Amino acid sequence: MEKLLYTGKAKQMWQTDDPEVLRVVYMDQATALNGKKKDRFAGKGAAAKGISDLVFHYLIDHGIPTHFIKQVSSTEDLVKKCQMFPLEFVTRNVVAGHFASRYGLDEGTVLTEPVEETFYKSDQLDDPFINESATLALDIASHADLEEMWGHCRKVNGLLKPLFEKSGMQLVDFKLEFGRLSNGQIVLADEFSPDNCRLWDLQTDQHLDKDVYRRQLADLTQTYDEVLNRLQNVLAEEN
Ligand code: ADP
Ligand code: TMP
């Protein structure tokens, strides 16, 4: 019998008959300000899932280990169950968001080297910034684990920056999460969608990510559908 394990801000995680497999349901919901702002958007779940599936397929084809197994419907995937590291790995290529506000910078400056930041995933504590020594002290991950996960992040950035550029978008920043499988392997988990990255149109600088909801700039589902269409077109040309 399937059992609901967790309802998050964007997805539900369901247990399946296989203890190693979860069913993920992408919900028609968006949140901001750590869940304090919450709204329903018809079609958002399918668009976010569609983008994430394309990106995960692309990463798997280029050697990144992930939790992804297969799609089961327009809003549901099967994934390998992980013991998640309670960490968010943020990579920034361009100054935006909290990096701009924290350091008093204007958005839009391209960073000479990507900036790497780790956050401790805790809704209660508002996802505080965490460094390596605190991560070790809290026994969240080892030095080798962190090296491995940041290695994956760098490779993902190297693969996705050009992919989004071909689709007419600048990959400004993004957040990844990792988990450990029962065999000990560390894999990329969670999702990659405009819920957890910033994408700017290369011609117009128009926001094509969740900032359209955070800043009330445009319709969220239409924006995500636009990203999905662009990616589908570029990937179809590649194949
Ligand atoms: P949040 O918890 O931030 O509100 P979501 O609504 O996206 O986020 O919920 C999905 C939850 O499932 C996240 O907490 C994420 O860490 C977790 N998760 C993602 N992939 C897996 C996986 N393969 N195995 C176990 N948990 C996962
Ligand atoms: P930030 O500028 O708000 O720190 O966000 C940096 C990137 O990380 C951006 O692409 C959004 C993503 N992100 C999440 O996916 N979840 C979060 O909780 C936060 C704070 C950021």
Side-chain angles (χ1 to χ4, degrees):
M1 248 270 284
E2 287 207 348
K3 183 176 142 207
L4 179 61
L5 294 179
Y6 178 77
T7 299
K9 296 187 286 291
K11 303 191 286 296
Q12 285 184 335
M13 310 302 280
W14 289 79
Q15 197 169 49
T16 66
D17 292 337
D18 184 336
E20 308 242 344
V21 176
L22 296 179
R23 184 166 59 88
V24 185
V25 181
Y26 284 71
M27 299 186 290
D28 278 346
Q29 177 173 292
T31 67
L33 307 169
N34 206 8
K36 289 174 203 89
K37 175 173 148 109
K38 180 158 85 172
D39 288 286
R40 196 182 176 278
F41 293 93
K44 184 255 180 184
K49 190 202 82 85
I51 295 163
S52 191
D53 284 8
L54 286 180
V55 170
F56 269 67
H57 273 296
Y58 188 78
L59 295 176
I60 291 164
D61 285 348
H62 291 82
I64 305 286
T66 86
H67 71 162
F68 185 82
I69 301 174
K70 65 172 183 177
Q71 140 167 318
V72 281
S73 81
S74 64
T75 53
E76 299 164 294
D77 285 335
L78 293 184
V79 300
K80 295 174 196 164
K81 185 176 183 172
C82 296
Q83 183 73 43
M84 297 299 289
F85 291 92
L87 295 172
E88 300 191 335
F89 294 80
V90 171
T91 302
R92 301 179 187 271
N93 296 311
V94 179
V95 173
H98 283 106
F99 193 79
S101 56
R102 192 186 309 132
Y103 300 117
L105 304 171
D106 290 331
E107 289 196 322
T109 306
V110 176
L111 295 155
T112 42
E113 285 296 318
V115 169
E116 299 176 342
E117 299 172 344
T118 320
F119 296 88
Y120 177 41
K121 196 170 153 69
S122 162
D123 283 340
Q124 235 179 343
L125 301 174
D126 231 355
D127 297 345
F129 194 87
I130 191 164
N131 67 11
E132 177 165 344
S133 59
T135 307
L136 300 180
L138 298 185
D139 208 14
I140 291 172
S142 69
H143 173 75
D145 294 337
L146 290 171
E147 281 297 297
E148 188 172 337
M149 292 186 273
W150 275 117
H152 290 319
C153 293
R154 286 171 205 136
K155 202 164 167 203
V156 167
N157 196 28
L159 288 164
L160 295 188
K161 249 173 67 166
L163 177 69
F164 282 109
E165 258 163 41
K166 275 188 222 150
S167 320
M169 295 176 271
Q170 187 177 29
L171 179 58
V172 171
D173 53 33
F174 61 91
K175 181 266 294 178
L176 299 180
E177 291 184 27
F178 295 88
R180 199 187 287 286
L181 301 179
S182 58
N183 67 7
Q185 190 189 15
I186 291 176
V187 296
L188 178 64
D190 205 47
E191 66 175 284
F192 192 105
S193 82
D195 264 14
N196 32 60
C197 70
R198 286 195 172 89
L199 299 166
W200 293 350
D201 184 277
L202 276 172
Q203 305 291 326
T204 64
D205 280 346
Q206 185 192 349
H207 294 268
L208 296 168
D209 54 62
K210 201 165 80 170
D211 276 348
V212 302
Y213 169 66
R214 294 187 190 97
R215 303 177 189 189
Q216 293 178 297
L217 301 173
D219 181 81
L220 189 74
T221 304
Q222 271 176 24
T223 302
Y224 284 26
D225 280 339
E226 167 75 23
V227 173
L228 179 59
N229 281 333
R230 289 192 192 194
L231 276 180
Q232 275 168 339
N233 290 339
V234 161
L235 290 168
E237 276 168 27
E238 284 204 355
N239 291 327

